[in-house]
Amino acid sequence: SGRAIGELPAQLQGSAPRVALKDYGRPISGARALRWTGDADRRLGFVQGSLVFDRARNEASVTNYNVYWRMADGSRGPMLGSIDGAGFREPTCTGTTCPLINGSRTAAGGFRFERGAYAESEEATISIFGPGHVNVLRFDTEEVYDGLKIGSDEVVSGNLAGSVPFVKKFPEGPLNIVWASDESMQGGGWSIEIFDASPTAEFKINATALLGSGFEVVAAYGQNELKSHVAFVRVMDNVPGHASEPMAAVVPTTGRGLAASSSNGGGAAEPAKATAPSKQGKGRLHTGHEESEPWLPRGVTTGNYGRVHWSESVFRREGGSVVRSSFVVQGLAPEVASQPATRAELVRAFATSQTLKDAIVRLVSIAAVGDSEAVQGSVAAKIVFEVEGPSGASTAASDRVESALISLAAGGRATARFDAALGAALGLSPPA
């Protein structure tokens, strides 16, 4: 306030009114390439490991990344914590010569920029953000007149075959690497690697109860999240003696009939041996939808016996030791099939086959299916699995595994034993 002869001086904690300012913003880009390192906790229903992801291309608008559970129904679950942004900026190139400069990622997480035999009057600026360092791997230019200027350092030029590789460090903050050539002599070009603020981040998860189908990572600026860009990864519960596969999330799609196929493939899932079935109480039944599995050819299965509907064909690629196939269990809801105890019974049922009792069985996915000729309107779960002979088994043993699965798909006594054992263990009603 004031009058003609002056105004009241502003004083901290004084009588002058004041208002706090708060910067409001929202991230421009989010986390990329989210990976789960695998479950290190061997207890059933618990997971422990690390989430690793590529930071946003430009963290100028990212203060932190929030980590959440994603529940089996697709909704967001509890928050596990957050990890701070590091001020990372992915290197960018501007200038007329940029299309001629080859840019790529290195195995160590850096950025490589290379220019081969160049032309006259080239110019380009590579913008980076420190702290970090530049590895000069190859350098052959006209001395003095063609070169790279890294920040405020002197221009690097000439044929440096006897001096490379060498390192140039740069401090925190923005920095430009400027390339220029004149109109006369040229050389063989150059190659550099840039390592600035870490482009990746790791969020460690201590042993915790398995609550959902996986984890979400979302970028935030203060309290404001970039909800349009959410990174997601499924979680695998690795338990010795039990099958291991991503927790099933029901994905709504249109009913398409059953995907009936077997194929060879390696599996990163924790293996489980097939053992004798045990009694399991009856589960609650719910409806669902088929989960997309683009790696499998489409078609309707045959080889149906009782409540289990097997895939029609079983095959193994030449030289392969792992066979992938699938079957549908009529009357079993995918939500129930995804429970650890039920997954264990699905694996144990393979022990009814003399050939498969010592095999390694992995459940790859569990999903719901819509109405089909094979299921005839009943709720059902589709089980995609892999079978591999015992560790160190010969090719002949793998052939026997494949033959056993063909027998199960064809129907007969082996199929009847599998069906009866699984039905008894899960408490399913006998087929009509």
Side-chain angles (χ1 to χ4, degrees), residues 213-258:
S213 61
F215 297 111
E216 293 182 356
V217 175
V218 57
Y221 184 83
Q223 300 297 317
N224 303 316
E225 294 184 338
L226 182 62
K227 297 181 180 179
S228 62
H229 185 112
V230 178
F232 169 72
V233 65
R234 289 189 181 276
V235 180
M236 303 181 73
D237 186 8
N238 287 349
V239 182
H242 292 268
S244 175
E245 78 286 359
M247 293 294 291
V250 179
V251 181
T253 62
T254 56
R256 291 178 296 184
L258 302 180

Side-chain angles (χ1 to χ4, degrees), residues 143 167 206 219 259 268 270 281 350 360 379 394 397:
E143 192 166 1
V167 176
N206 295 324
E270 177 72 16
F350 284 89
I360 298 172
V379 64
S394 63

Side-chain angles (χ1 to χ4, degrees), residues 111-296:
F111 299 84
R112 180 180 290 114
F113 291 88
E114 298 178 292
R115 180 69 179 110
Y118 57 91
E120 61 181 34
S121 302
E122 293 193 355
E123 59 177 26
T125 299
I126 300 171
S127 300
I128 58 179
F129 198 89
H133 64 274
V134 176
N135 292 342
V136 180
L137 306 177
R138 177 177 62 84
F139 213 91
D140 177 21
T141 68
E142 181 189 10
E143 192 166 1
V144 179
Y145 301 103
D146 302 343
L148 283 174
K149 183 175 176 58
I150 303 176
S152 58
D153 290 354
E154 293 182 0
V155 174
V156 179
S157 68
N159 187 330
L160 306 181
S163 303
V164 294
F166 60 87
V167 176
K168 282 189 168 289
K169 295 183 179 181
F170 51 89
E172 182 175 359
L175 184 107
N176 288 332
I177 300 176
V178 180
W179 158 245
S181 66
D182 69 359
E183 299 176 354
S184 58
M185 300 173 59
Q186 288 85 44
W190 46 267
S191 174
I192 62 173
E193 289 180 348
I194 300 170
F195 293 87
D196 50 6
S198 176
T200 61
E202 179 180 7
F203 183 85
K204 294 184 178 180
I205 297 175
N206 295 324
T208 185
L210 184 63
L211 299 183
S213 61
F215 297 111
E216 293 182 356
V217 175
V218 57
Y221 184 83
Q223 300 297 317
N224 303 316
E225 294 184 338
L226 182 62
K227 297 181 180 179
S228 62
H229 185 112
V230 178
F232 169 72
V233 65
R234 289 189 181 276
V235 180
M236 303 181 73
D237 186 8
N238 287 349
V239 182
H242 292 268
S244 175
E245 78 286 359
M247 293 294 291
V250 179
V251 181
T253 62
T254 56
R256 291 178 296 184
L258 302 180
S261 176
S262 300
S263 66
N264 222 32
E270 177 72 16
K273 268 195 172 184
T275 55
S278 61
K279 185 68 177 179
Q280 177 72 20
K282 183 180 294 186
R284 294 175 292 111
L285 299 183
H286 305 276
T287 59
H289 302 273
E290 182 177 0
E291 184 175 24
S292 175
E293 295 165 13
W295 63 87
L296 290 173

Side-chain angles (χ1 to χ4, degrees), residues 340-402:
T342 308
R343 300 202 307 267
E345 297 299 345
L346 290 167
V347 171
R348 290 190 183 103
F350 284 89
T352 58
S353 167
Q354 188 68 21
T355 302
L356 301 177
K357 68 177 183 179
D358 294 322
I360 298 172
V361 179
R362 303 180 184 92
L363 299 189
V364 177
S365 68
I366 298 174
V369 295
D371 292 350
S372 69
E373 179 181 344
V375 181
Q376 297 182 359
S378 173
V379 64
K382 178 181 178 181
I383 317 299
V384 179
F385 65 92
E386 291 177 342
V387 180
E388 184 176 6
S391 179
S394 63
T395 302
S398 298
D399 291 341
R400 289 193 293 272
V401 168
E402 184 178 9

